[in-house]
Amino acid sequence: MARTFLALVGFIYILLAVWCAFAPETTSQSVGFILKPGSGQSEFLTVYGGLELALGIVFLRPLFQKEVTHFSLYICVIVHGCLVMFRTLGFVLFSGFESTTYALAGGEWLIFLMSLTLYIITKRSTKSSLE
């Protein structure tokens, strides 16, 4: 179950990385960014495209190395916990959100809660198998 969940999250991140790389104007506009030519474009490609690709790889790794599943879940909890924390702060500090922002927030919460649940379950099962 955990490996399937991580694979789904990983594929989503790979797709987002591809979308950021090949349609940066569309992607950035859908989340409220206006890309300044040169620096802004480069920064968006690097941070969004590159970071999302890296996360996708981390979350897909358990498909090929079962023993890293717990670690990948741990990373998923940390990443999405931080996203949820800062997204929530953004909702408190700012206004004027479009539907895409709410959809992203919902997805972040869902991934955070699911990864946390699976992390706890796998930690318990690993601990009990060692005893």
Side-chain angles (χ1 to χ4, degrees):
M1 171 87 169
R3 290 170 66 211
T4 302
F5 168 75
L6 287 167
L8 177 63
V9 173
F11 283 123
I12 290 168
Y13 273 101
I14 297 292
L15 290 173
L16 288 171
V18 169
W19 189 29
C20 289
F22 292 104
E25 291 294 328
T26 305
T27 311
S28 62
Q29 287 176 4
S30 72
V31 295
F33 282 173
I34 298 171
L35 298 181
K36 184 177 177 183
S39 295
Q41 293 167 316
S42 175
E43 192 67 16
F44 184 81
L45 179 65
T46 302
V47 174
Y48 276 75
L51 189 56
E52 288 178 356
L53 179 61
L55 290 170
I57 292 167
V58 168
F59 300 141
L60 287 173
R61 192 168 169 211
L63 286 178
F64 307 101
Q65 289 181 292
K66 187 177 180 179
E67 64 273 11
V68 300
T69 302
H70 191 69
F71 176 74
S72 292
L73 279 171
Y74 176 73
I75 297 301
C76 197
V77 169
I78 290 172
V79 166
H80 292 91
C82 290
L83 290 174
V84 162
M85 181 175 58
F86 276 86
R87 180 76 69 191
T88 303
L89 181 61
F91 284 146
V92 170
L93 295 175
F94 310 114
S95 61
F97 300 102
E98 296 185 24
S99 60
T100 303
T101 304
Y102 291 112
L104 289 170
E108 290 158 357
W109 269 103
L110 180 65
I111 293 170
F112 171 65
L113 294 173
M114 289 183 70
S115 62
L116 181 61
T117 301
L118 289 169
Y119 177 78
I120 292 167
I121 290 168
T122 61
K123 186 171 184 167
R124 285 183 184 161
S125 66
T126 303
K127 185 178 180 182
S128 64
S129 69
L130 294 175
E131 294 175 346

PDB file of all heavy atoms in Angstrom, residues 18-41:
ATOM      1  N   VAL A  18       7.410  17.979 -15.636  1.00  0.00           N
ATOM      2  CA  VAL A  18       7.324  18.061 -17.106  1.00  0.00           C
ATOM      3  C   VAL A  18       6.474  19.255 -17.512  1.00  0.00           C
ATOM      4  O   VAL A  18       6.829  20.009 -18.422  1.00  0.00           O
ATOM      5  CB  VAL A  18       6.757  16.735 -17.685  1.00  0.00           C
ATOM      6  CG1 VAL A  18       6.410  16.885 -19.159  1.00  0.00           C
ATOM      7  CG2 VAL A  18       7.761  15.604 -17.474  1.00  0.00           C
ATOM      8  N   TRP A  19       5.355  19.465 -16.838  1.00  0.00           N
ATOM      9  CA  TRP A  19       4.479  20.597 -17.134  1.00  0.00           C
ATOM     10  C   TRP A  19       5.226  21.913 -16.914  1.00  0.00           C
ATOM     11  O   TRP A  19       5.161  22.824 -17.733  1.00  0.00           O
ATOM     12  CB  TRP A  19       3.225  20.518 -16.265  1.00  0.00           C
ATOM     13  CG  TRP A  19       2.142  21.501 -16.610  1.00  0.00           C
ATOM     14  CD1 TRP A  19       1.877  22.044 -17.840  1.00  0.00           C
ATOM     15  CD2 TRP A  19       1.166  22.048 -15.725  1.00  0.00           C
ATOM     16  NE1 TRP A  19       0.798  22.902 -17.760  1.00  0.00           N
ATOM     17  CE2 TRP A  19       0.342  22.913 -16.477  1.00  0.00           C
ATOM     18  CE3 TRP A  19       0.908  21.881 -14.369  1.00  0.00           C
ATOM     19  CZ2 TRP A  19      -0.711  23.614 -15.909  1.00  0.00           C
ATOM     20  CZ3 TRP A  19      -0.157  22.573 -13.813  1.00  0.00           C
ATOM     21  CH2 TRP A  19      -0.952  23.429 -14.572  1.00  0.00           C
ATOM     22  N   CYS A  20       5.967  22.010 -15.829  1.00  0.00           N
ATOM     23  CA  CYS A  20       6.745  23.224 -15.549  1.00  0.00           C
ATOM     24  C   CYS A  20       7.831  23.450 -16.595  1.00  0.00           C
ATOM     25  O   CYS A  20       8.109  24.590 -16.980  1.00  0.00           O
ATOM     26  CB  CYS A  20       7.395  23.149 -14.170  1.00  0.00           C
ATOM     27  SG  CYS A  20       6.220  23.293 -12.816  1.00  0.00           S
ATOM     28  N   ALA A  21       8.443  22.376 -17.060  1.00  0.00           N
ATOM     29  CA  ALA A  21       9.540  22.490 -18.022  1.00  0.00           C
ATOM     30  C   ALA A  21       9.049  22.843 -19.422  1.00  0.00           C
ATOM     31  O   ALA A  21       9.683  23.634 -20.125  1.00  0.00           O
ATOM     32  CB  ALA A  21      10.338  21.186 -18.058  1.00  0.00           C
ATOM     33  N   PHE A  22       7.923  22.265 -19.828  1.00  0.00           N
ATOM     34  CA  PHE A  22       7.482  22.434 -21.209  1.00  0.00           C
ATOM     35  C   PHE A  22       6.357  23.447 -21.404  1.00  0.00           C
ATOM     36  O   PHE A  22       6.086  23.842 -22.542  1.00  0.00           O
ATOM     37  CB  PHE A  22       7.097  21.078 -21.802  1.00  0.00           C
ATOM     38  CG  PHE A  22       8.283  20.175 -21.970  1.00  0.00           C
ATOM     39  CD1 PHE A  22       8.509  19.135 -21.091  1.00  0.00           C
ATOM     40  CD2 PHE A  22       9.200  20.398 -22.985  1.00  0.00           C
ATOM     41  CE1 PHE A  22       9.623  18.314 -21.224  1.00  0.00           C
ATOM     42  CE2 PHE A  22      10.315  19.591 -23.124  1.00  0.00           C
ATOM     43  CZ  PHE A  22      10.532  18.548 -22.241  1.00  0.00           C
ATOM     44  N   ALA A  23       5.720  23.877 -20.344  1.00  0.00           N
ATOM     45  CA  ALA A  23       4.675  24.897 -20.446  1.00  0.00           C
ATOM     46  C   ALA A  23       4.768  25.846 -19.250  1.00  0.00           C
ATOM     47  O   ALA A  23       3.791  26.014 -18.509  1.00  0.00           O
ATOM     48  CB  ALA A  23       3.302  24.241 -20.525  1.00  0.00           C
ATOM     49  N   PRO A  24       5.921  26.479 -19.049  1.00  0.00           N
ATOM     50  CA  PRO A  24       6.098  27.307 -17.853  1.00  0.00           C
ATOM     51  C   PRO A  24       5.123  28.478 -17.750  1.00  0.00           C
ATOM     52  O   PRO A  24       4.696  28.831 -16.647  1.00  0.00           O
ATOM     53  CB  PRO A  24       7.541  27.794 -17.954  1.00  0.00           C
ATOM     54  CG  PRO A  24       7.907  27.643 -19.387  1.00  0.00           C
ATOM     55  CD  PRO A  24       7.096  26.502 -19.907  1.00  0.00           C
ATOM     56  N   GLU A  25       4.758  29.078 -18.872  1.00  0.00           N
ATOM     57  CA  GLU A  25       3.810  30.203 -18.831  1.00  0.00           C
ATOM     58  C   GLU A  25       2.446  29.746 -18.306  1.00  0.00           C
ATOM     59  O   GLU A  25       1.866  30.376 -17.426  1.00  0.00           O
ATOM     60  CB  GLU A  25       3.660  30.843 -20.214  1.00  0.00           C
ATOM     61  CG  GLU A  25       4.896  31.594 -20.685  1.00  0.00           C
ATOM     62  CD  GLU A  25       5.216  32.826 -19.845  1.00  0.00           C
ATOM     63  OE1 GLU A  25       4.273  33.463 -19.325  1.00  0.00           O
ATOM     64  OE2 GLU A  25       6.404  33.141 -19.704  1.00  0.00           O
ATOM     65  N   THR A  26       1.962  28.635 -18.835  1.00  0.00           N
ATOM     66  CA  THR A  26       0.667  28.100 -18.414  1.00  0.00           C
ATOM     67  C   THR A  26       0.707  27.672 -16.957  1.00  0.00           C
ATOM     68  O   THR A  26      -0.202  27.988 -16.174  1.00  0.00           O
ATOM     69  CB  THR A  26       0.282  26.883 -19.287  1.00  0.00           C
ATOM     70  OG1 THR A  26       0.312  27.283 -20.656  1.00  0.00           O
ATOM     71  CG2 THR A  26      -1.094  26.361 -18.944  1.00  0.00           C
ATOM     72  N   THR A  27       1.765  26.945 -16.606  1.00  0.00           N
ATOM     73  CA  THR A  27       1.890  26.450 -15.239  1.00  0.00           C
ATOM     74  C   THR A  27       1.960  27.599 -14.245  1.00  0.00           C
ATOM     75  O   THR A  27       1.254  27.614 -13.237  1.00  0.00           O
ATOM     76  CB  THR A  27       3.161  25.589 -15.088  1.00  0.00           C
ATOM     77  OG1 THR A  27       3.215  24.647 -16.144  1.00  0.00           O
ATOM     78  CG2 THR A  27       3.172  24.858 -13.777  1.00  0.00           C
ATOM     79  N   SER A  28       2.822  28.554 -14.523  1.00  0.00           N
ATOM     80  CA  SER A  28       3.008  29.662 -13.582  1.00  0.00           C
ATOM     81  C   SER A  28       1.739  30.497 -13.452  1.00  0.00           C
ATOM     82  O   SER A  28       1.375  30.906 -12.348  1.00  0.00           O
ATOM     83  CB  SER A  28       4.186  30.540 -14.001  1.00  0.00           C
ATOM     84  OG  SER A  28       3.956  31.128 -15.264  1.00  0.00           O
ATOM     85  N   GLN A  29       1.057  30.743 -14.552  1.00  0.00           N
ATOM     86  CA  GLN A  29      -0.176  31.531 -14.489  1.00  0.00           C
ATOM     87  C   GLN A  29      -1.257  30.815 -13.696  1.00  0.00           C
ATOM     88  O   GLN A  29      -2.053  31.460 -13.003  1.00  0.00           O
ATOM     89  CB  GLN A  29      -0.667  31.860 -15.896  1.00  0.00           C
ATOM     90  CG  GLN A  29       0.186  32.902 -16.577  1.00  0.00           C
ATOM     91  CD  GLN A  29      -0.243  33.163 -18.023  1.00  0.00           C
ATOM     92  OE1 GLN A  29      -1.222  32.607 -18.490  1.00  0.00           O
ATOM     93  NE2 GLN A  29       0.523  33.992 -18.717  1.00  0.00           N
ATOM     94  N   SER A  30      -1.279  29.485 -13.755  1.00  0.00           N
ATOM     95  CA  SER A  30      -2.313  28.737 -13.037  1.00  0.00           C
ATOM     96  C   SER A  30      -2.144  28.827 -11.521  1.00  0.00           C
ATOM     97  O   SER A  30      -3.095  28.602 -10.784  1.00  0.00           O
ATOM     98  CB  SER A  30      -2.338  27.276 -13.479  1.00  0.00           C
ATOM     99  OG  SER A  30      -1.216  26.594 -12.986  1.00  0.00           O
ATOM    100  N   VAL A  31      -0.934  29.175 -11.071  1.00  0.00           N
ATOM    101  CA  VAL A  31      -0.706  29.338  -9.631  1.00  0.00           C
ATOM    102  C   VAL A  31      -0.471  30.798  -9.249  1.00  0.00           C
ATOM    103  O   VAL A  31      -0.069  31.099  -8.126  1.00  0.00           O
ATOM    104  CB  VAL A  31       0.453  28.446  -9.117  1.00  0.00           C
ATOM    105  CG1 VAL A  31       0.108  26.978  -9.247  1.00  0.00           C
ATOM    106  CG2 VAL A  31       1.759  28.767  -9.806  1.00  0.00           C
ATOM    107  N   GLY A  32      -0.694  31.708 -10.187  1.00  0.00           N
ATOM    108  CA  GLY A  32      -0.626  33.131  -9.880  1.00  0.00           C
ATOM    109  C   GLY A  32       0.727  33.794 -10.051  1.00  0.00           C
ATOM    110  O   GLY A  32       0.922  34.914  -9.600  1.00  0.00           O
ATOM    111  N   PHE A  33       1.663  33.105 -10.716  1.00  0.00           N
ATOM    112  CA  PHE A  33       2.978  33.700 -10.963  1.00  0.00           C
ATOM    113  C   PHE A  33       3.005  34.397 -12.314  1.00  0.00           C
ATOM    114  O   PHE A  33       2.421  33.916 -13.277  1.00  0.00           O
ATOM    115  CB  PHE A  33       4.073  32.637 -11.011  1.00  0.00           C
ATOM    116  CG  PHE A  33       4.516  32.124  -9.677  1.00  0.00           C
ATOM    117  CD1 PHE A  33       5.399  31.069  -9.617  1.00  0.00           C
ATOM    118  CD2 PHE A  33       4.078  32.657  -8.486  1.00  0.00           C
ATOM    119  CE1 PHE A  33       5.836  30.570  -8.407  1.00  0.00           C
ATOM    120  CE2 PHE A  33       4.504  32.173  -7.277  1.00  0.00           C
ATOM    121  CZ  PHE A  33       5.387  31.115  -7.240  1.00  0.00           C
ATOM    122  N   ILE A  34       3.715  35.492 -12.354  1.00  0.00           N
ATOM    123  CA  ILE A  34       4.028  36.145 -13.624  1.00  0.00           C
ATOM    124  C   ILE A  34       5.540  36.026 -13.779  1.00  0.00           C
ATOM    125  O   ILE A  34       6.293  36.476 -12.909  1.00  0.00           O
ATOM    126  CB  ILE A  34       3.585  37.616 -13.628  1.00  0.00           C
ATOM    127  CG1 ILE A  34       2.066  37.698 -13.464  1.00  0.00           C
ATOM    128  CG2 ILE A  34       4.044  38.301 -14.908  1.00  0.00           C
ATOM    129  CD1 ILE A  34       1.541  39.101 -13.245  1.00  0.00           C
ATOM    130  N   LEU A  35       5.969  35.377 -14.825  1.00  0.00           N
ATOM    131  CA  LEU A  35       7.393  35.117 -15.013  1.00  0.00           C
ATOM    132  C   LEU A  35       8.090  36.293 -15.681  1.00  0.00           C
ATOM    133  O   LEU A  35       7.750  36.682 -16.790  1.00  0.00           O
ATOM    134  CB  LEU A  35       7.605  33.860 -15.859  1.00  0.00           C
ATOM    135  CG  LEU A  35       7.070  32.558 -15.294  1.00  0.00           C
ATOM    136  CD1 LEU A  35       7.385  31.404 -16.222  1.00  0.00           C
ATOM    137  CD2 LEU A  35       7.628  32.296 -13.918  1.00  0.00           C
ATOM    138  N   LYS A  36       9.050  36.848 -14.997  1.00  0.00           N
ATOM    139  CA  LYS A  36       9.891  37.889 -15.571  1.00  0.00           C
ATOM    140  C   LYS A  36      10.873  37.201 -16.527  1.00  0.00           C
ATOM    141  O   LYS A  36      11.500  36.207 -16.147  1.00  0.00           O
ATOM    142  CB  LYS A  36      10.648  38.612 -14.446  1.00  0.00           C
ATOM    143  CG  LYS A  36      11.484  39.760 -14.912  1.00  0.00           C
ATOM    144  CD  LYS A  36      12.131  40.453 -13.711  1.00  0.00           C
ATOM    145  CE  LYS A  36      13.032  41.567 -14.199  1.00  0.00           C
ATOM    146  NZ  LYS A  36      13.718  42.209 -13.065  1.00  0.00           N
ATOM    147  N   PRO A  37      11.006  37.707 -17.755  1.00  0.00           N
ATOM    148  CA  PRO A  37      11.925  37.069 -18.707  1.00  0.00           C
ATOM    149  C   PRO A  37      13.336  36.939 -18.124  1.00  0.00           C
ATOM    150  O   PRO A  37      13.827  37.816 -17.422  1.00  0.00           O
ATOM    151  CB  PRO A  37      11.906  38.015 -19.912  1.00  0.00           C
ATOM    152  CG  PRO A  37      10.584  38.698 -19.822  1.00  0.00           C
ATOM    153  CD  PRO A  37      10.316  38.849 -18.342  1.00  0.00           C
ATOM    154  N   GLY A  38      13.953  35.822 -18.411  1.00  0.00           N
ATOM    155  CA  GLY A  38      15.309  35.577 -17.937  1.00  0.00           C
ATOM    156  C   GLY A  38      15.314  35.018 -16.531  1.00  0.00           C
ATOM    157  O   GLY A  38      15.081  33.827 -16.319  1.00  0.00           O
ATOM    158  N   SER A  39      15.556  35.865 -15.547  1.00  0.00           N
ATOM    159  CA  SER A  39      15.692  35.422 -14.155  1.00  0.00           C
ATOM    160  C   SER A  39      14.447  34.710 -13.632  1.00  0.00           C
ATOM    161  O   SER A  39      14.544  33.658 -12.998  1.00  0.00           O
ATOM    162  CB  SER A  39      15.999  36.608 -13.249  1.00  0.00           C
ATOM    163  OG  SER A  39      17.249  37.147 -13.563  1.00  0.00           O
ATOM    164  N   GLY A  40      13.289  35.283 -13.852  1.00  0.00           N
ATOM    165  CA  GLY A  40      12.046  34.677 -13.373  1.00  0.00           C
ATOM    166  C   GLY A  40      11.787  33.332 -14.037  1.00  0.00           C
ATOM    167  O   GLY A  40      11.386  32.373 -13.378  1.00  0.00           O
ATOM    168  N   GLN A  41      12.008  33.268 -15.336  1.00  0.00           N
ATOM    169  CA  GLN A  41      11.826  32.010 -16.058  1.00  0.00           C
ATOM    170  C   GLN A  41      12.800  30.947 -15.562  1.00  0.00           C
ATOM    171  O   GLN A  41      12.427  29.793 -15.345  1.00  0.00           O
ATOM    172  CB  GLN A  41      12.003  32.228 -17.559  1.00  0.00           C
ATOM    173  CG  GLN A  41      10.914  33.079 -18.171  1.00  0.00           C
ATOM    174  CD  GLN A  41      11.272  33.533 -19.571  1.00  0.00           C
ATOM    175  OE1 GLN A  41      12.394  33.961 -19.839  1.00  0.00           O
ATOM    176  NE2 GLN A  41      10.304  33.437 -20.470  1.00  0.00           N
TER     177      GLN A  41
END
